[in-house]
């Protein structure tokens, strides 16, 4: 080179690494020609600058070619430093996890010999704490199945870090429904040892909570987005002694979503990050990548070409997780062997007469329109067609949501009359799940006399939501919990009931999978029954099979050895398929 190239390094504006800006007469192309072979990956160009993301950023920090001088801002240097430490620690952390998987609680006890108060933990929780509090741990994906006690693991891991003088502050990002539960559990296990602030309420209350000099900050995802700058300042003041926890991390599975970028920006200034989720990839293997990257800065997936096709992506994502991921995964069947079993029953319900006519009219019109257009137009109008498909499912639940003039009793309410009368007549508490607000309205109005609590998007107060759970769990007169799985599916404990009835299904596999474990979790002493009401001749049986297929794919991605529930239709399909093969032979 004829002269030395100087470039300024700044943090990227979208929480993805750093941007390198050449100075003087140097062009981005010339800078890329030097950096690309050194970093081992192509660089993204933006407005005359280069952007470096993920694992290459760690290598960038250690580069010193004679013809290049990089001028780092303090912020960019700190961001790169986190990645350098993670890259150096990754082999040791992977080795620690391998030894803990092999030797289990015996090794964990030796690793935690200096920490008190761990006798309340199960063996798998003890192993998790040992991994999370390891000096080499820059973060961990805690993918333990729902109901195995992930929250308790975090509480004791943070306590161990504080006791070892490795952390001062913990910031917990969680669904709105879980804010009060986190505070309750901290107080349950640690009393008043830590100052706790729930960052919620009106803007003034939120800012007061953030300035309260607490040790534990519990923040909802949407609040975190609104107060991102304040949260970043908070963790930066900790000088590397902050811990970030993302509860139910499937909320940040979409890398481009605002709450995902907010979580990544906060993570840049935290020495450790833990993501907690029992269902990290309910829809696609790509969902898992963003969650793992939040922990390890892209060390597991940065250089991979992950196919867009879900089936093709699954083995790629699974192999990288196994070979380079930092995660734990415990299933209830393995760590809670005394937990009672569960049974799945599908009941086909007949449409009410007018309901059937409304459904058939909407279905026929949709079929006609689909047959009348070509693929390009279908692609342009996809959102509209999916909305019309969703309307069919809502009619199967209760037509009133799409046909306000409907004044009959739909088929599922008639089925619920009998089901609830029988169960509540035996003093059995029942959880009823419904996805549609209009359906929840109708259920609550029809069965209010049973002593009912409601938990869905219409209940916005944290205190009201917490009180609904408390009443159902503790009050013998409150016999019915009516919830939307999108609002109440995560984190809640409803094991006073052993029966859950699904009046309608969520369109998100994560909501469905999370809702299953509200009654089947630690503390449940009786076998659990799930009853699915599906309208005969509707899309609902297909929707249920789709959710079951996603559940199977999610287990396969994580390498779970688990027996999924057998359905009558599934078994019948297998037998008919084998009969076809015999006929061909």
């Amino acid at each position: 080179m004829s002269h030395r190239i100087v470039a300024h390094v700044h943090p990227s504006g979208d929480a993805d690494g750093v941007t390198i800006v050449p100075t003087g007469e140097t062009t981005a192309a010339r800078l890329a020609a030097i950096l690309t072979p050194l970093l081992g990956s192509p660089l993204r160009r933006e407005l005359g600058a280069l952007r470096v993301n993920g694992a290459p950023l760690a290598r960038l920090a250690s580069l010193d070619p004679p013809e290049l001088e990089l001028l780092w801002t303090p912020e960019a240097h700190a961001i790169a430093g986190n990645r350098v430490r993670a890259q150096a620690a990754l082999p040791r952390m992977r080795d620690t996890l391998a030894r803990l998987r092999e030797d289990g609680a015996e090794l964990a006890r030796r690793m935690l010999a200096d920490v008190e108060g761990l006798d309340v933990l199960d063996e798998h929780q003890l192993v998790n704490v040992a991994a999370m509090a390891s000096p080499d741990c820059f973060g961990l994906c805690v993918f333990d199945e729902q109901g195995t006690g992930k929250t308790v693991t975090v509480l004791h891991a943070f306590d161990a870090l504080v006791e070892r003088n490795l952390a001062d502050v913990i910031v917990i990002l969680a669904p709105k429904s879980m804010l009060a539960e986190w505070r309750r559990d901290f107080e349950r296990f640690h009393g008043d040892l830590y100052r706790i602030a729930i960052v919620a309420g009106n803007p003034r209350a939120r800012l007061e909570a953030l300035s309260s000099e607490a040790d534990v900050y519990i923040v909802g995802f949407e609040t975190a987005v609104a107060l991102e700058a304040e949260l970043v300042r908070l963790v930066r003041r900790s000088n590397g002694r902050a811990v970030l926890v993302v509860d139910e991390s499937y909320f940040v599975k979409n890398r481009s979503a605002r709450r995902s970028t907010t979580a990544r920006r906060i993570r840049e200034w935290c020495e450790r990050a833990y993501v907690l989720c029992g269902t990290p990839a309910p829809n696609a293997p790509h969902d898992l990548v963003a969650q793992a990257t939040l922990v390890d800065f892209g060390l597991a997936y940065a250089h991979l070409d992950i196919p867009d096709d879900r089936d093709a992506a699954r083995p790629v994502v699974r192999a990288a997780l196994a070979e380079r991921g930092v995660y734990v995964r415990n299933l209830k069947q393995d760590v809670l062997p005394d937990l009672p079993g569960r049974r799945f029953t599908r009941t086909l319900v007949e449409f009410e007469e007018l309901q059937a006519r409304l459904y058939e009219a909407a279905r026929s019109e949709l079929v006609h329109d689909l047959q009348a257009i070509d693929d390009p137009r279908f692609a342009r109008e996809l959102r509209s067609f999916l909305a019309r498909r969703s309307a069919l499912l809502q009619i199967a639940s209760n037509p009133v949501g799409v046909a306000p003039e409907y004044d009959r009793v739909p088929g599922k309410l008639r089925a619920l009359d009998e089901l609830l009368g029988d169960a509540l007549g035996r003093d059995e508490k029942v959880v009823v799940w419904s996805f549609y607000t209009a359906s929840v309205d109708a259920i609550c109005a029809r069965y209010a006399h049973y002593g009912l609590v409601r938990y869905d998007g219409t209940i916005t107060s944290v205190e009201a939501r917490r009180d609904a759970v408390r009443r159902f769990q503790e009050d013998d007169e409150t016999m019915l919990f009516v919830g939307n799985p999108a609002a109440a599916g995560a984190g809640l404990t409803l094991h006073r009931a052993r029966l859950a009835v699904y009046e309608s299904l969520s369109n998100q596999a994560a909501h469905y999978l999370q809702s299953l474990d509200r009654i089947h979790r630690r503390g449940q002493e009786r076998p659990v029954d799930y009853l699915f009401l599906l309208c005969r001749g509707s899309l609902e049986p297909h929707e249920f099979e789709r959710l079951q297929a996603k559940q199977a794919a999610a287990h396969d991605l994580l390498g779970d050895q688990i027996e999924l529930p057998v359905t009558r239709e599934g078994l019948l399909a297998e037998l008919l398929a084998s009969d076809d093969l015999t006929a061909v032979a």
Side-chain angles (χ1 to χ4, degrees):
M1 290 291 179
S2 59
H3 66 277
R4 192 172 179 82
I5 295 175
V6 180
H8 292 279
V9 187
H10 306 275
S12 291
D14 60 355
D16 278 317
V18 297
T19 299
I20 310 174
V21 183
T23 62
E25 298 179 359
T26 302
T27 64
R30 189 175 183 187
L31 192 57
I34 296 174
L35 289 177
T36 299
L38 295 172
L39 295 177
S41 63
L43 306 179
R44 182 173 175 181
R45 299 190 189 187
E46 292 183 347
L47 300 176
L50 304 178
R51 198 172 77 187
V52 182
N53 303 327
L57 180 55
R59 291 198 292 277
L60 177 68
S62 60
L63 291 180
D64 190 24
E67 70 274 23
L68 177 64
E69 180 180 359
L70 297 178
L71 303 179
W72 293 78
T73 65
E75 292 80 7
H77 191 268
I79 289 171
N82 258 342
R83 287 160 173 76
V84 170
R85 286 190 294 273
Q87 190 170 53
L90 179 62
R92 299 192 300 272
M93 186 61 195
R94 290 273 304 166
D95 179 66
T96 296
L97 288 170
R99 290 188 294 114
L100 282 167
R101 291 185 183 116
E102 180 70 24
D103 298 332
E106 181 180 348
L107 174 59
R109 290 189 181 92
R110 294 200 299 270
M111 292 175 63
L112 297 168
D114 60 320
V115 180
E116 298 179 353
L118 301 178
D119 54 332
V120 299
L121 299 180
D122 291 344
E123 289 195 348
H124 74 282
Q125 294 173 316
L126 196 66
V127 169
N128 288 0
V129 170
M132 297 165 79
S134 165
D136 292 322
C137 183
F138 52 85
L140 190 68
C141 298
V142 183
F143 290 153
D144 289 358
E145 196 173 12
Q146 306 97 297
T148 56
K150 294 185 291 293
T151 302
V152 176
T153 297
V154 171
L155 304 185
H156 287 86
F158 177 64
D159 192 53
L161 291 170
V162 171
E163 197 164 325
R164 291 174 170 176
N165 196 28
L166 295 174
D168 295 326
V169 173
I170 184 169
V171 175
I172 301 166
L173 306 185
K176 187 176 183 180
S177 62
M178 291 302 299
L179 304 185
E181 304 303 314
W182 272 99
R183 178 169 63 185
R184 183 200 65 188
D185 285 339
F186 254 104
E187 293 171 346
R188 173 186 168 196
F189 286 97
H190 296 312
D192 59 358
L193 180 61
Y194 296 109
R195 296 164 296 179
I196 302 171
I198 293 185
V199 184
N202 59 46
R204 179 176 179 179
R206 295 175 180 180
L207 292 176
E208 287 178 353
L210 279 180
S211 61
S212 63
E213 300 297 326
D215 307 302
V216 180
Y217 294 88
I218 307 169
V219 192
F221 286 111
E222 302 313 316
T223 298
V225 170
L227 297 180
E228 177 187 306
E230 290 81 359
L231 285 165
V232 169
R233 284 196 292 270
L234 171 69
V235 296
R236 287 188 66 173
R237 289 199 304 268
S238 71
N239 295 317
R241 295 173 62 83
V243 176
L244 175 66
V245 173
V246 181
D247 189 17
E248 303 300 351
S249 55
Y250 66 81
F251 278 87
V252 297
K253 69 182 187 298
N254 181 351
R255 187 169 175 79
S256 61
R258 281 289 306 277
R259 54 180 172 243
S260 302
T261 57
T262 290
R264 294 204 303 278
R265 289 192 182 103
I266 297 170
R267 198 287 182 251
E268 295 289 5
W269 304 98
C270 296
E271 189 78 5
R272 290 171 176 80
Y274 309 126
V275 300
L276 317 179
C277 192
T279 56
N283 293 307
H286 307 81
D287 297 346
L288 189 146
V289 175
Q291 298 167 68
T293 298
L294 184 63
V295 167
D296 70 3
F297 302 108
L299 291 174
Y301 293 104
H303 300 302
L304 288 180
D305 182 14
I306 301 175
D308 292 333
D309 179 78
R310 295 179 181 185
D311 291 335
R314 188 168 294 108
V316 177
V317 173
R318 181 175 56 224
L321 182 69
E323 294 168 9
R324 295 187 293 277
V326 285
Y327 76 102
V328 291
R329 173 71 167 171
N330 291 290
L331 301 176
K332 286 184 293 189
Q333 66 183 24
D334 299 323
V335 300
L336 300 176
D338 296 329
L339 191 65
R342 53 184 182 174
R343 180 175 59 182
F344 291 70
T345 303
R346 296 163 41 134
T347 296
L348 292 179
V349 176
E350 301 297 337
F351 280 116
E352 182 273 327
E353 184 180 354
L354 177 56
Q355 181 184 19
R357 292 202 300 270
L358 290 170
Y359 184 92
E360 181 54 31
R363 189 198 68 83
S364 297
E365 185 179 358
L366 180 55
V367 169
H368 175 272
D369 290 349
L370 285 170
Q371 291 173 335
I373 64 171
D374 55 19
D375 287 345
R377 182 180 171 189
F378 174 74
R380 292 193 302 270
E381 300 179 17
L382 177 61
R383 181 173 297 183
S384 172
F385 282 112
L386 290 179
R388 292 170 66 183
R389 179 186 186 276
S390 179
L392 284 174
L393 293 170
Q394 191 164 0
I395 292 171
S397 168
N398 191 330
V400 72
V402 294
E405 70 280 3
Y406 181 79
D407 60 357
R408 310 285 180 86
V409 179
K412 291 190 180 182
L413 283 185
R414 293 178 177 177
L416 274 175
D417 287 346
E418 183 176 350
L419 284 169
L420 296 181
D422 178 62
L424 299 178
R426 293 181 279 107
D427 290 329
E428 287 275 9
K429 292 189 177 230
V430 181
V431 174
V432 176
W433 295 108
S434 181
F435 184 61
Y436 303 104
T437 299
S439 298
V440 173
D441 289 342
I443 293 168
C444 290
R446 190 171 183 85
Y447 304 114
H449 60 283
Y450 282 131
L452 174 152
V453 290
R454 176 174 181 160
Y455 198 125
D456 69 343
T458 67
I459 310 301
T460 58
S461 164
V462 173
E463 291 75 16
R465 291 184 170 200
R466 186 177 185 183
D467 185 61
V469 175
R470 182 197 60 76
R471 286 174 56 197
F472 185 74
Q473 286 288 94
E474 300 175 8
D475 179 13
D476 291 338
E477 301 300 317
T478 302
M479 300 298 294
L480 191 59
F481 182 100
V482 181
N484 182 328
L492 303 185
T493 295
L494 303 172
H495 59 29
R496 276 296 301 276
R498 56 169 293 277
L499 171 62
V501 180
Y502 285 76
E503 184 273 344
S504 51
L505 297 168
S506 169
N507 61 359
Q508 293 292 322
H511 300 154
Y512 163 68
L513 296 176
Q514 288 281 341
S515 69
L516 293 176
D517 290 280
R518 297 315 100 213
I519 64 174
H520 191 250
R521 57 196 299 109
R522 184 191 304 271
Q524 179 60 264
E525 298 177 349
R526 300 175 295 166
V528 164
D529 278 313
Y530 302 99
L531 181 59
F532 299 87
L533 302 180
L534 309 173
C535 272
R536 189 190 303 275
S538 76
L539 288 172
E540 289 187 316
H542 301 284
E543 194 75 357
F544 180 78
E545 291 298 335
R546 183 182 67 84
L547 290 174
Q548 292 294 96
K550 287 191 174 185
Q551 183 180 13
H555 282 298
D556 176 70
L557 181 67
L558 294 165
D560 296 341
Q561 300 298 316
I562 193 169
E563 290 289 334
L564 292 173
V566 176
T567 65
R568 181 185 65 82
E569 288 81 357
L571 181 57
L572 180 60
E574 288 181 0
L575 294 172
L576 292 175
S578 63
D579 187 56
D580 291 342
L581 290 174
T582 302
V584 170

